[in-house]
Amino acid sequence: MNIFYNINGVGDVLLVQLALTRPESIVTKSQGDVTLIHDEVTGELTAFNLFNASSYVKNEAVGEVELTEEVAGQLQDALLKNGVEIKLDIDFTPKFVVGHILTKEKHPNADKLSVCTVDVGSETVQIVCGAPNVDAGQKVVVAKVGAVMPSGMVIRDAELRGVPSAGMICSAKELGLPDAPEEKGILVLDNNAVTGEIFTK
């Protein structure tokens, strides 16, 4: 879930994005201060707008709003107050974590890509990586599926040249770190970094 708020640009409206992809065609339904946005083809609820947002949610951010348990509770209450009986299913697990690359294999369909299995603490995932310096045994920063990069890009389950990839092994530049090198390559952490721990800048 991604939440955006810009009172000067849009007004007192919270834009709440539930789906990772935007549908080609939508249908909307308004109920009180809530406008629900469904995918016209699948019927899936993909987003909703909350009008008069400041009367429901405490927020001082402009742009992306941090999704905390408090904000999620206020959103859920706002839906109920407007007669919208939808249960928000929110994943609060950290999205940027220390990963340990267990294996690295050559991609079968692309010379410059590698297929890595990466332990991220709670699970082991397969990630396709194009960095020239990636190798088995490294401790790295993994952006898990659902992570929002500093550029605004959302990490999704993907398939790269026919191989599934669940997450991204990050470079310092992609993480928006100061003094990030210009040359291509992932950020390799100290071997003492603990697998699965939250990565903080």
Side-chain angles (χ1 to χ4, degrees):
M1 178 190 292
N2 298 312
I3 309 171
F4 301 93
Y5 184 77
N6 185 344
I7 193 164
N8 295 322
V10 182
D12 190 15
V13 186
L14 271 180
L15 310 176
V16 183
Q17 183 182 337
L18 302 173
L20 291 177
T21 55
R22 291 183 179 178
E24 290 184 14
S25 58
I26 61 169
V27 289
T28 62
K29 178 186 175 187
S30 294
Q31 201 162 322
D33 283 333
V34 177
T35 296
L36 302 172
I37 302 167
H38 289 85
D39 185 321
E40 189 173 26
V41 177
T42 66
E44 178 192 8
L45 178 64
T46 61
F48 67 87
N49 297 338
L50 178 61
F51 294 85
N52 299 310
S54 59
S55 64
Y56 298 101
V57 178
K58 294 175 184 171
N59 168 59
E60 295 178 2
V62 174
E64 187 169 356
V65 177
E66 183 183 359
L67 178 59
T68 62
E69 292 192 34
E70 182 184 12
V71 167
Q74 291 169 352
L75 283 174
Q76 187 68 74
D77 289 345
L79 291 173
L80 292 173
K81 284 175 183 173
N82 285 280
V84 180
E85 295 185 11
I86 294 168
K87 179 78 172 71
L88 296 176
D89 184 17
I90 302 168
D91 177 10
F92 284 105
T93 59
K95 294 294 180 276
F96 293 91
V97 299
V98 175
H100 181 209
I101 301 177
L102 303 176
T103 65
K104 171 199 163 187
E105 305 288 339
K106 189 177 177 301
H107 192 293
N109 305 316
D111 290 341
K112 293 185 178 179
L113 296 178
S114 302
V115 181
C116 303
T117 54
V118 188
D119 180 1
V120 293
S122 57
E123 60 183 334
T124 299
V125 295
Q126 177 173 283
I127 299 176
V128 176
C129 180
N133 65 328
V134 67
D135 211 350
Q138 291 171 333
K139 295 287 182 73
V140 294
V141 181
V142 174
K144 296 167 69 177
V145 171
V148 180
M149 302 302 293
S151 65
M153 179 178 73
V154 179
I155 302 300
R156 300 178 170 89
D157 275 314
E159 198 171 283
L160 299 173
R161 296 284 186 94
V163 175
S165 182
M168 184 170 79
I169 302 172
C170 302
S171 69
K173 190 173 183 181
E174 287 163 336
L175 291 165
L177 298 181
D179 304 319
E182 285 299 318
E183 61 267 18
K184 285 188 175 181
I186 56 166
L187 174 65
V188 179
L189 302 174
D190 188 285
N191 231 23
N192 295 326
V194 178
T195 303
E197 281 203 347
I198 299 171
F199 173 76
T200 52
K201 294 180 183 180

